Amino acid sequence: MFLHNLTSVSPEDSVQMAFSKAAADFNVEKIRCSYEYNGFDQRPSAAHSIIRTDTGAELGYCSDTYEVITNRQLLRLAIQAVRQGAELEQFHVFKGGKRLAFSAKLPESEVEVVPGDRVYTRFVGILGHDKLTAGGGFLCNHRVFCDNQFRSIYANSMNYRIPHQRGANDRWEQMIESLDLAKHRFNIERDQSLYMDAAGIPFTKDDFDEVISEVYKSDLFHADGSPKLITVEGTETLKREMNVGDLRQYDQLIHAYHNGLGIKNMPSIQGTAWAAWNALTEVTASAANSIRPFERFAFAQGRDVSTRIADCMKAVTLRLS
């Protein structure tokens, strides 16, 4: 549930309430691992488990150099964003506490691309306890159709990533102290103007196929640039080069381009670069009333794909404007 009209408490208190309501207020510790061998308890010097202290559940394992960043650090980052005018939306807890995140909408960041089609910017904070996930925060633009449905367009140049190495909490402190959401206003306005330009650019299916090929280049080509091969249907050994229509996402992308969220009922953006942009975003990082897509975006490759979408579509928009 999103927080609105909490006039009886301070902004900091409202963030704390959301933090507790999401069950994010648990502690995490790093403890030495042990195992029994030949009847004796063995304790490897460099092997540790990351556990929840309230349940004892193991969230991950790590080496001796791993530095725990507690959940309250994520809370402090959210409070700092709110103090700078951001509106907290929600905390998320994933995988039993292995990963956490929050999103907060930036003030005065909303723009209407075409009548009825609004875009605004969020600050997203993330934290992992699974050894692999770094913590930090980033700005991203989202296309929004209702309060609990949002999907990212891209992660822009403001991107704090703090690995769990020695000194991680010092770097987290520096991130909080240096956080300045207002200074990124220029980039926000610049990109929002591109969205409006994209809404006025005719875009054919061939144009869309070209963009899909660029965004999903790594699925179509090897690192050395040679095309990937697939088995010809109906044969066992005959191979051919992959094309854009072979991508597993292709049918979803074409459907979203013609009938995606917000596109089917908005004739003014159908067949435009903005429709293509939204179709790519919907399929890649949709949060259609589910926290799972948000988790994929915040912690996995969806964020990187989203960045490629933005880079490609911004280049196309500037070229065709």
Side-chain angles (χ1 to χ4, degrees):
M1 181 179 294
F2 284 43
L3 301 177
H4 295 286
N5 301 321
L6 294 176
T7 56
S8 60
V9 295
S10 69
E12 291 84 356
D13 287 342
S14 70
V15 177
Q16 176 69 65
M17 290 168 58
F19 184 71
S20 299
K21 186 170 184 178
D25 53 349
F26 60 89
N27 291 323
V28 174
E29 288 186 5
K30 179 179 73 172
I31 63 171
R32 287 271 300 279
C33 294
S34 65
Y35 63 93
E36 185 176 326
Y37 182 72
N38 285 341
F40 295 95
D41 187 36
Q42 307 292 326
R43 296 174 64 85
S45 60
H48 293 73
S49 288
I50 307 161
I51 66 162
R52 289 183 59 149
T53 60
D54 57 343
T55 65
E58 184 181 60
L59 304 178
Y61 62 92
C62 62
S63 69
D64 187 53
T65 60
Y66 181 95
E67 183 170 323
V68 169
I69 301 174
T70 67
N71 294 355
R72 296 203 68 82
Q73 292 283 48
L74 188 68
L75 171 64
R76 293 181 60 231
L77 181 61
I79 289 174
Q80 181 74 335
V82 168
R83 285 173 176 167
Q84 295 185 18
E87 178 187 352
L88 178 71
E89 294 175 306
Q90 193 168 5
F91 279 94
H92 297 285
V93 176
F94 305 113
K95 306 292 186 184
K98 290 184 178 181
R99 298 191 288 261
L100 300 89
F102 72 82
S103 64
K105 187 172 69 174
L106 268 61
E108 301 178 0
S109 67
E110 182 176 343
V111 64
E112 194 168 46
V113 179
V114 296
D117 186 9
R118 297 187 303 276
V119 170
Y120 51 88
T121 303
R122 286 183 172 88
F123 180 65
V124 176
I126 62 175
L127 179 61
H129 300 305
D130 57 359
K131 177 188 175 182
L132 301 176
T133 305
F138 54 93
L139 283 172
C140 53
N141 287 348
H142 298 281
R143 181 168 156 72
V144 179
F145 297 97
C146 63
D147 285 342
N148 63 350
Q149 179 188 67
F150 57 93
R151 48 201 177 91
S152 169
I153 292 176
Y154 76 109
N156 71 11
S157 58
M158 178 191 174
N159 200 349
Y160 301 99
R161 299 175 190 265
I162 301 175
H164 291 265
Q165 300 169 348
R166 285 172 178 163
N169 283 280
D170 290 337
R171 290 190 290 273
W172 194 280
E173 191 70 31
Q174 293 168 5
M175 174 181 65
I176 292 176
E177 292 177 357
S178 64
L179 184 66
D180 186 352
L181 301 179
K183 75 178 183 181
H184 297 279
R185 182 65 191 166
F186 172 78
N187 289 335
I188 293 168
E189 292 175 348
R190 177 199 61 196
D191 293 323
Q192 288 172 342
S193 69
L194 285 176
Y195 305 154
M196 290 184 279
D197 290 342
I201 296 174
F203 216 66
T204 66
K205 180 179 176 297
D206 289 341
D207 294 328
F208 192 33
D209 282 351
E210 183 179 344
V211 171
I212 294 172
S213 297
E214 182 63 28
V215 170
Y216 291 94
K217 181 183 290 186
S218 62
D219 293 315
L220 297 172
F221 298 92
H222 295 289
D224 63 3
S226 61
K228 293 184 178 180
L229 303 178
I230 60 173
T231 304
V232 175
E233 187 175 355
T235 73
E236 294 184 0
T237 59
L238 188 61
K239 302 285 186 178
R240 66 170 176 83
E241 295 181 2
M242 281 188 69
N243 59 54
V244 67
D246 297 317
L247 292 169
R248 62 179 177 80
Q249 306 94 336
Y250 185 72
D251 290 342
Q252 289 178 279
L253 287 164
I254 295 301
H255 179 269
Y257 177 62
H258 294 293
N259 300 291
L261 294 171
I263 295 174
K264 184 177 181 179
N265 299 321
M266 298 189 68
S268 62
I269 68 171
Q270 292 177 8
T272 67
W274 184 236
W277 202 327
N278 279 278
L280 285 160
T281 302
E282 177 184 337
V283 173
T284 301
S286 173
N289 295 315
S290 168
I291 63 174
R292 284 296 304 280
F294 174 79
E295 179 185 8
R296 290 198 300 271
F297 167 71
F299 295 101
Q301 64 180 1
R303 189 170 67 236
D304 296 328
V305 175
S306 189
T307 300
R308 292 202 300 273
I309 291 171
D311 290 343
C312 186
M313 289 307 305
K314 283 192 285 187
V316 168
T317 301
L318 288 170
R319 175 165 55 85
L320 298 179
S321 295

